[in-house]
Amino acid sequence: MKNSKDLMNILDKINGKGYKAYKDLEGVYDFQSYILSIDHVQGDPFATPSRIRVIVSQKDGRFPLGYFDEDHKRIAVVDFLTRLFFKNMKRYYDRVRGSGKSGLLTIDYCGQEMLDKTSVFIDMDNVEARIELGLPAAGRKILGEEAKVIFFKLSQL
């Protein structure tokens, strides 16, 4: 597994290159208090955003087993965490500059009903948020410094 410094180095290396070089980011990175998994990188700044996951160990998350030991409880916790994540993204995240879907950061939207979702996964080992991210670009050139804002400044909130 790579670490956060490896991600920083890759972003430095690909800064200013063609958008396809973002594929070098795919992988799993240890940020010590959580794991960042970049599962799919969009091929173009105008395409469907990239898919990433933020994984927190239950040692750090500390959700009591009683919160998700039955389906109706797990659905409620997943719904709550999805809504909380969405609310905090709107509150703390200012979209970075770029073209197309650059800087777009989103999680599945919750309507009025509490339905089983895949936006957050929780079990005895981990809590995982599944997010879509538009990697920043100017035209089809990578904006590595803007990507650093997303991956490193947001992690400090």
Side-chain angles (χ1 to χ4, degrees), residues 58-98:
Q58 278 289 20
K59 285 185 264 180
D60 295 323
R62 300 181 188 164
F63 284 92
L65 176 60
Y67 283 15
F68 57 92
D69 61 347
E70 296 179 45
D71 273 349
H72 69 281
K73 293 179 185 178
R74 181 190 50 77
I75 290 169
V77 168
V78 165
D79 185 86
F80 172 78
L81 292 174
T82 300
R83 290 174 193 275
L84 183 63
F85 196 95
F86 185 84
K87 176 184 168 189
N88 284 327
M89 278 191 317
K90 296 294 182 203
R91 184 174 182 186
Y92 296 110
Y93 177 64
D94 290 325
R95 188 171 175 168
V96 298
R97 68 182 176 91

Side-chain angles (χ1 to χ4, degrees), residues 7 10-11 14 18-27 29 37-45 47-52 131 133-136 142 151:
L7 179 59
I10 293 169
L11 288 170
I14 65 174
Y19 201 85
K20 298 263 185 216
Y22 263 136
K23 291 281 185 191
D24 293 351
L25 296 180
E26 287 182 353
Y29 300 88
S37 180
I38 302 174
D39 300 322
H40 170 75
V41 173
Q42 67 202 81
D44 180 277
T48 301
S50 302
R51 290 187 306 271
I52 65 173
I131 306 160
L133 168 65
L135 294 167
I142 291 173
F151 289 120

Side-chain angles (χ1 to χ4, degrees), residues 77-78 81-82 85 107 117-122 127-130:
V77 168
V78 165
L81 292 174
T82 300
F85 196 95
I107 193 165
K117 296 184 180 8
T118 58
S119 52
V120 172
F121 174 80
I122 187 168
V127 180
E128 175 180 304
R130 298 166 177 175

